[in-house]
Amino acid sequence: MKLKDLRIGVKQTIGFVCILILMAGANFSSFYQLFNLKKSIDDVTNSWLPRAIAISEININTTDLRQNQLQLIFADSEAERTAQADRIVELLDSISTNLDTYEQLREQALVQNLYSEEERTLYAAFDQKWDRYQELSFTFFQYTREDRIIEAVALLNGEARLLFDEFRHDLQELVRVNTTDSQRAAVQAEDAFRTARRVAQNIFILTLIVSALAVFVTIRLITIPVKQLSNAVAKVAQGDLTVQLEHQSEDELGRLTSSFNRMTIALREARAKTEEQELALRTRNAELQQTLAQLQEAQQQLIMKEKMASLGNLVAGVAHGINNPIGAVNSSADNARRAVVKLRELINGNDELRRLVSETDLEKLLNVLDENTIITATASRRIAHIVKSLKSFARLDEADFQRASIEEGLETTLTLVQHEFKNRIEVVREYAGVPPILCFPNELNQVFMNLLVNASQAIHGKGQVVVKTAHDQKWAYIVVSDTGIGIPPASLPRVFDPGFTTKGVGVGTGLGLSISYNIIKKHDGTISVTSTVGEGTEFTIKLPFRT
Amino acid sequence: MRTLFKHTLALLVLAIAGGLFTPSLLAADSVAVIAHRSVPEQELNKTKLLDIYTGDVKRWSDGKPVVVIDLKPAGEVKETFYKYLGKSPSRMKSVWLKRMLSGEGDPPLTVESETEMVKRVAATPGAIGFVSSEAVNDTVKTLAIIEHESGGKK
């Protein structure tokens, strides 16, 4: 198992244990060095220096002793002699005490291995000489007691003096040795202190580095993956399901990362499925709407066909009904005219009758008769024309898809809406002489009718309607423009929608333009509208020539 | 004559037994504290011995004065003896010097050899001294045996 795959807790514990070990090492080292330092200082203060001091004391004491011995020789009185003796006893006591101290220290030093061979040799030499000096002193005091002054002086200045000088030298050497040793111990102490300080510093720096490393590792192991994870979660929350995290380790975070990746994959699959379903639903909905539109169109066409059929039947009936009496009126008027003509011929050929006519008002009556027959003939011709237009509009007598003149259709329709226009609206015709096109003429007539009726209704009061035709190689154009109230821009895109109307309830069905649109579409043409509120509206129809 | 024989025999037996069974007791380096035969004490412990050698005790139990004798040359015997007492020869001399200056008594007599020691002790009533065990004869009485190192310490 690799380190990165250990649990985070274990990783942290390892880090802490490392730091703890280092710090413990630092402390241990410091303690060890301090112990050495203390030992060195103790050696100096408890061993070397006290020994040096004790020896120095002895040195002084022995010098005093010799002084007093000299003074004892020359003591004048018994009292002075006793005083000197007491002084010597005190010195001997002091020497003994100092020697005790020294020997005690020596015992300790031997245990601590602080007693050098040189010192041992020196002390042994001193002890031997001191022993011998005291032996000589016995003799010396014997001489003084017996007042053998010359011999006493000789002893003191002879062998005793040599001995004294020698053991004094030994004592000085001992002091020197101890001083040297204490200096050495001081140097050791300083070394120990330096070492302790250096080791402590190094370990402190090392601890800092390891701590920094631990922090760095912690950040790398925990903080960065957590941040990545949190960023990834934020992305997922915003809807980005493509996020995948790099799988770096097998610890808790690694497992969390794996879980997260599995989660995003699952979410992605779920969302893909949802989207798929949504798409299917939308497609079906669109299909449904299309079907509905087709259904509505079919219904409209059906309604229109039904209307047209009814209208056709009605027109057929009316035309048929009117045609016969009109024929009778027409022929009667003709007969009456011809009768008047014959009557005039008769009158003109007979002088008596001519005189009679000139004498009476007969001529006047004949003129009235003439006039009335002409009026009757004209009126009946007009009736016949209207009936013909009606029949033409309905095209009941013609085949569905045929070649027909657009301009003729427009004229027929204009005749039928004449009563709407009356004297209120002026019709301006600008026909370009468009050749006949293949079409359903009755349906196109219905379109013209719708446009013209709409124009009439848009014009409140007096106005003008312009009917214009044009053509090129491929297309025939019909433009119907009015000077009406216009269509607001908001409504303009919806004018061809089924059921859209600006007229009040009962005025229109709202189907007129929609039906017109469908008819033009059926002819593979287009119908478009431009309008300015307050100025008027212009519809443009574009129809293809078919071959 | 008969008594002497008996004594000699007893000593021989003792010596053989000692040589055989207690070699340490009669080892070459052990030191014997010897006294004049007239001394009433049969044995001395360390304290008593130290008191006698420092001059604190000046008389035997029968009131006769103690005569302390010191062995002058340094050597194993002298060293063992003074180590047993806990005072080095030089320190002991300081004690004697103080005593001498205070007028409490003179330092011990000194002899130059162990043979002389035995002779001197045997010849001086109330005398006490020390020699190696080997040097002891029946002209003196033995008050204590000091083992070198082990037996003689403290």
Side-chain angles (χ1 to χ4, degrees):
Chain A
M1 196 183 214
K2 285 186 206 158
L3 175 70
K4 66 173 186 175
D5 293 338
L6 289 172
R7 288 194 299 117
I8 291 168
V10 176
K11 286 173 188 167
Q12 282 187 331
T13 308
I14 289 170
F16 284 136
V17 166
C18 284
I19 294 169
L20 273 177
I21 288 171
L22 271 172
M23 289 176 82
N27 276 332
F28 181 77
S29 161
S30 299
F31 280 139
Y32 179 73
Q33 295 297 337
L34 283 174
F35 174 76
N36 281 347
L37 186 62
K38 184 181 180 296
K39 192 174 167 297
S40 296
I41 292 169
D42 282 352
D43 287 350
V44 173
T45 52
N46 297 337
S47 195
W48 307 114
L49 285 178
R51 255 146 64 200
I53 290 165
I55 296 292
S56 296
E57 285 284 322
I58 293 165
N59 202 353
I60 295 163
N61 288 339
T62 48
T63 313
D64 286 353
L65 180 70
R66 192 174 149 76
Q67 182 103 21
N68 280 299
Q69 280 177 319
L70 280 168
Q71 285 171 353
L72 187 68
I73 300 171
F74 302 107
D76 292 335
S77 62
E78 190 61 32
E80 199 183 328
R81 192 180 293 232
T82 312
Q84 287 298 345
D86 286 349
R87 177 74 190 127
I88 289 170
V89 168
E90 273 173 33
L91 285 170
L92 286 170
D93 270 340
S94 176
I95 290 168
S96 288
T97 310
N98 279 316
L99 281 173
D100 279 345
T101 307
Y102 179 82
E103 275 168 15
Q104 235 168 3
L105 290 168
R106 184 181 61 176
E107 286 295 313
Q108 284 175 14
L110 277 171
V111 172
Q112 291 168 9
N113 207 15
L114 296 172
Y115 200 71
S116 66
E117 184 60 27
E118 190 186 6
E119 190 171 354
R120 198 192 64 76
T121 316
L122 279 169
Y123 186 71
F126 161 75
D127 191 55
Q128 210 184 336
K129 284 160 194 161
W130 173 236
D131 190 60
R132 175 72 190 134
Y133 186 83
Q134 289 182 103
E135 230 171 70
L136 289 176
S137 296
F138 292 148
T139 317
F140 168 77
F141 289 127
Q142 195 68 41
Y143 287 157
T144 55
R145 213 155 49 184
E146 291 163 10
D147 276 339
R148 291 155 73 178
I149 293 185
I150 295 164
E151 283 160 299
V153 170
L155 182 65
L156 212 57
N157 282 334
E159 198 188 349
R161 186 198 174 124
L162 286 173
L163 262 176
F164 176 76
D165 286 345
E166 277 175 29
F167 76 65
R168 256 179 67 91
H169 180 259
D170 287 342
L171 286 171
Q172 277 162 2
E173 278 297 291
L174 274 172
V175 170
R176 184 190 59 77
V177 165
N178 276 301
T179 313
T180 313
D181 283 347
S182 60
Q183 270 166 359
R184 205 175 56 230
V187 168
Q188 277 174 356
E190 205 188 341
D191 281 354
F193 175 70
R194 286 230 178 96
T195 311
R197 198 175 54 183
R198 199 180 58 240
V199 169
Q201 277 171 350
N202 287 348
I203 291 193
F204 176 70
I205 289 165
L206 198 64
T207 309
L208 275 183
I209 291 168
V210 169
S211 299
L213 211 68
V215 169
F216 175 73
V217 167
T218 307
I219 286 172
R220 245 193 93 63
L221 286 179
I222 301 166
T223 315
I224 291 176
V226 165
K227 195 160 187 185
Q228 284 175 347
L229 204 60
S230 102
N231 286 345
V233 169
K235 274 190 189 167
V236 169
Q238 283 165 6
D240 180 4
L241 293 182
T242 58
V243 185
Q244 283 287 296
L245 287 173
E246 200 184 332
H247 189 224
Q248 282 171 334
S249 62
E250 282 301 332
D251 58 13
E252 292 92 328
L253 279 165
R255 289 201 288 276
L256 189 58
T257 305
S258 305
S259 300
F260 175 80
N261 286 341
R262 281 201 298 279
M263 182 192 77
T264 53
I265 289 167
L267 276 173
R268 210 154 59 210
E269 282 170 359
R271 195 165 74 170
K273 202 170 270 181
T274 314
E275 276 172 356
E276 202 177 295
Q277 284 173 345
E278 203 180 290
L279 191 72
L281 207 66
R282 212 175 286 167
T283 314
R284 211 160 304 164
N285 204 24
E287 280 171 9
L288 210 63
Q289 256 170 1
Q290 209 179 341
T291 313
L292 189 69
Q294 282 172 352
L295 212 64
Q296 280 175 341
E297 204 181 300
Q299 195 188 17
Q300 276 171 24
Q301 281 175 2
L302 214 62
I303 290 167
M304 187 192 71
K305 267 189 182 154
E306 192 68 29
K307 265 182 175 175
M308 290 303 288
S310 308
L311 188 69
N313 285 336
L314 187 71
V315 168
V318 169
H320 188 73
I322 288 173
N323 261 348
N324 287 337
I326 286 291
V329 169
N330 221 2
S331 55
S332 298
D334 200 43
N335 288 341
R337 187 185 54 85
R338 260 182 295 174
V340 171
V341 169
K342 273 235 174 104
L343 200 60
R344 279 190 194 276
E345 278 173 11
L346 216 61
I347 292 164
N348 288 337
N350 194 325
D351 291 336
E352 200 180 343
L353 275 174
R354 204 186 303 164
R355 198 183 31 93
L356 201 71
V357 168
S358 56
E359 283 171 7
T360 62
D361 288 341
L362 201 65
E363 181 63 29
K364 218 184 205 173
L365 288 170
L366 273 176
N367 282 345
V368 170
L369 207 62
D370 230 8
E371 208 173 315
N372 278 303
T373 52
I374 288 167
I375 290 168
T376 308
T378 310
S380 72
R381 264 203 306 280
R382 196 162 162 222
I383 289 167
H385 179 67
I386 289 172
V387 170
K388 198 184 160 202
S389 290
L390 263 175
K391 281 171 82 177
S392 169
F393 180 79
R395 292 276 176 177
L396 295 165
D397 50 346
E398 288 163 21
D400 273 352
F401 198 63
Q402 57 183 279
R403 201 167 286 276
S405 162
I406 290 165
E407 282 156 12
E408 241 173 59
L410 280 167
E411 271 311 298
T412 310
T413 313
L414 276 169
T415 309
L416 288 176
V417 295
Q418 188 58 50
H419 70 283
E420 292 264 358
F421 287 14
K422 288 174 192 159
N423 297 325
R424 191 168 63 91
I425 296 160
E426 184 200 353
V427 178
V428 177
R429 295 172 175 80
E430 292 176 16
Y431 295 152
V434 178
I437 64 166
L438 270 172
C439 63
F440 295 98
N442 57 340
E443 290 188 359
L444 283 185
N445 286 348
Q446 201 188 343
V447 173
F448 302 151
M449 172 75 91
N450 280 329
L451 294 182
L452 289 169
V453 169
N454 279 347
S456 142
Q457 284 167 350
I459 297 166
H460 301 162
K462 284 187 183 285
Q464 196 185 54
V465 170
V466 177
V467 180
K468 196 159 81 177
T469 61
H471 70 97
D472 54 27
Q473 291 288 351
K474 278 181 170 178
W475 301 94
Y477 302 93
I478 303 113
V479 178
V480 176
S481 55
D482 62 59
T483 56
I485 55 169
I487 303 166
S491 304
L492 213 52
R494 294 170 60 206
V495 292
F496 297 114
D497 288 356
F500 176 78
T501 177
T502 54
K503 303 160 191 169
V505 179
V507 178
T509 56
L511 292 173
L513 282 175
S514 169
I515 290 166
S516 304
Y517 179 80
N518 283 326
I519 290 168
I520 299 301
K521 207 167 80 181
K522 195 164 134 190
H523 284 81
D524 295 326
T526 59
I527 178 165
S528 59
V529 60
T530 57
S531 180
T532 311
V533 175
E535 285 183 14
T537 307
E538 186 178 276
F539 284 92
T540 305
I541 296 166
K542 199 172 144 194
L543 290 168
F545 290 112
R546 289 168 199 268
T547 48
Chain B
M1 192 69 198
R2 197 180 170 87
T3 323
L4 185 74
F5 176 74
K6 267 187 186 171
H7 278 183
T8 315
L9 195 71
L11 266 172
L12 261 172
V13 168
L14 262 172
I16 291 164
L20 280 176
F21 301 110
T22 56
S24 61
L25 192 75
L26 296 173
D29 51 4
S30 64
V31 172
V33 177
I34 53 172
H36 190 262
R37 291 178 63 118
S38 69
V39 168
E41 272 78 358
Q42 294 305 310
E43 55 179 20
L44 283 175
N45 62 17
K46 196 172 95 176
T47 321
K48 192 85 178 176
L49 191 61
L50 186 62
D51 285 347
I52 288 168
Y53 262 82
T54 55
D56 286 341
V57 171
K58 290 191 177 69
R59 292 181 185 280
W60 297 111
S61 54
D62 59 0
K64 299 237 174 81
V66 176
V67 179
V68 177
I69 300 170
D70 188 23
L71 186 64
K72 197 170 183 180
E76 224 172 63
V77 173
K78 193 172 174 179
E79 196 185 320
T80 305
F81 179 74
Y82 281 102
K83 225 172 205 172
Y84 174 70
L85 288 185
K87 278 196 182 289
S88 70
S90 72
R91 307 295 292 284
M92 196 57 98
K93 283 198 181 66
S94 295
V95 175
W96 293 336
L97 263 178
K98 286 197 298 188
R99 219 162 257 289
M100 190 181 178
L101 286 165
S102 326
E104 288 173 29
D106 286 346
L109 298 170
T110 53
V111 291
E112 293 295 336
S113 70
E114 292 185 45
T115 327
E116 201 188 335
M117 174 70 89
V118 177
K119 276 187 192 164
R120 197 69 173 267
V121 170
T124 317
I128 183 167
F130 58 91
V131 287
S132 67
S133 302
E134 287 165 342
V136 179
N137 58 32
D138 57 0
T139 60
V140 293
K141 72 192 290 181
T142 304
L143 294 181
I145 298 288
I146 300 160
E147 289 300 320
H148 178 59
E149 293 300 314
S150 57
K153 268 206 151 179
K154 308 254 147 113

